[in-house]
């Protein structure tokens, strides 16, 4: 059963959020100390009010995880699915669609520990403001090296990469292109990200 809006705490510490969210029936993110349903910032249908993702959205995530599994096998990095929260600041947490973590980890942890790459699949309902808020939180993660916003309907990805002088964004387009995830030693072909989908020209 979903929690009523008037029962949602208006401010939480990270520890309070972990304890509170563990008792909920749906995913909640923490935005500057305030719990927000994940569906309220991503894939929220303005007509029905229901949250959900498209078939294409889910297939893209499955393709990413499948492609990364083979490329990362045997190394210190691994691909993770969307149900692991990422602490972006002292009082913020997000659930990306997929991520890459590296190094040692605690299998009992409720949050990512050393994220190096984060993937978000965009929907038509996403506004520029939503993207900027999410981007701001992700880029505040000290360990993060790459952040990818992936379009659903055409082969196009905006890839943010951390450089010595800050973050740089580039648009990678076309099925013959690949995402240069240099921090984890992987080039991820867009043809594999969009495998099985009919895309716009």
């Amino acid at each position: 059963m979903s929690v009523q809006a008037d029962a949602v705490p208006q401010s939480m510490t990270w520890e309070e959020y972990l304890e509170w969210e563990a008792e909920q029936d749906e995913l909640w993110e923490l935005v500057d100390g305030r719990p927000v349903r994940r569906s309220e910032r991503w894939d929220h249908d303005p007509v029905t009010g229901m949250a959900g993702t498209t078939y294409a959205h889910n297939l893209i995530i499955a393709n990413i995880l499948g492609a990364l599994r083979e490329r990362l096998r045997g190394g210190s990095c691994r691909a993770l699915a969307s149900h692991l929260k990422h602490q972006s600041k002292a009082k913020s947490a997000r659930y990306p669609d997929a991520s890459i973590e590296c190094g040692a980890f605690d299998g009992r942890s409720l949050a990512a520990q050393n994220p190096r790459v984060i993937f978000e699949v965009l929907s038509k309902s996403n506004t520029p403001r939503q993207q900027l808020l999410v981007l701001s939180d992700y880029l505040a993660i000290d360990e993060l090296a790459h952040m990818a916003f992936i379009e659903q309907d055409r082969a196009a990805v905006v890839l943010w990469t951390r450089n010595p002088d800050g973050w740089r964004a580039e648009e990678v387009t076309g099925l013959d292109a690949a995402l240069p995830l240099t921090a984890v030693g992987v080039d991820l072909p867009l043809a594999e990200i969009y495998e099985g989908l009919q895309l716009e020209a």
Side-chain angles (χ1 to χ4, degrees):
M1 181 176 178
S2 297
V3 64
Q4 297 299 314
D6 58 0
V8 178
Q10 294 303 301
S11 180
M12 287 183 174
T13 65
W14 174 254
E15 292 74 19
E16 289 170 341
Y17 160 70
L18 290 178
E19 182 177 348
W20 179 83
E21 198 215 15
E23 300 175 351
Q24 308 309 312
D25 295 332
E26 55 191 320
L27 297 180
W28 289 75
E29 295 187 329
L30 192 68
V31 181
D32 290 330
R34 184 174 64 89
V36 177
R37 284 185 178 88
R38 187 177 192 274
S39 60
E40 290 180 6
R41 62 95 176 175
W42 250 208
D43 301 306
H44 192 262
D45 190 314
V47 177
T48 65
M50 299 297 290
T53 57
T54 64
Y55 196 99
H57 187 126
N58 282 274
L59 183 55
I60 288 170
I61 297 169
N63 286 345
I64 290 171
L65 294 174
L68 290 175
R69 179 176 177 81
E70 291 306 313
R71 287 173 170 82
L72 297 174
R73 188 187 297 275
S76 62
C77 299
R78 57 212 157 266
L80 299 172
S82 61
H83 281 63
L84 186 67
K85 63 179 68 68
H86 287 58
Q87 184 179 8
S88 58
K89 290 181 291 188
K91 297 183 69 175
S92 291
R94 298 286 187 179
Y95 281 98
D97 286 320
S99 63
I100 299 175
E101 276 227 333
C102 299
F105 65 94
D106 178 357
R108 299 164 298 177
S109 176
L110 298 175
Q113 294 152 75
N114 189 24
R116 301 290 288 154
V117 184
I118 283 176
F119 302 90
E120 286 281 12
V121 181
L122 298 175
S123 300
K124 290 183 178 180
S125 61
N126 299 149
T127 66
R129 180 177 181 275
Q130 286 174 320
Q131 293 181 44
L132 285 173
L133 288 173
V134 171
L135 178 66
S136 176
D137 274 345
Y138 284 139
L139 298 192
I141 299 175
D142 291 338
E143 302 87 353
L144 194 69
H146 303 286
M147 166 72 217
F149 281 118
I150 302 166
E151 294 195 26
Q152 289 190 49
D153 300 323
R154 68 186 187 101
V157 180
V158 174
L159 179 66
W160 289 80
T161 298
R162 189 191 296 270
N163 293 287
D165 57 348
W167 288 90
R168 179 177 58 86
E170 63 176 313
E171 187 176 32
V172 182
T173 61
L175 293 177
D176 58 344
L179 295 183
L181 306 177
T182 54
V184 292
V186 167
D187 286 334
L188 183 58
L190 268 63
E192 295 188 29
I193 292 176
Y194 292 100
E195 184 177 356
L197 292 173
Q198 292 185 341
L199 303 174
E200 295 177 357

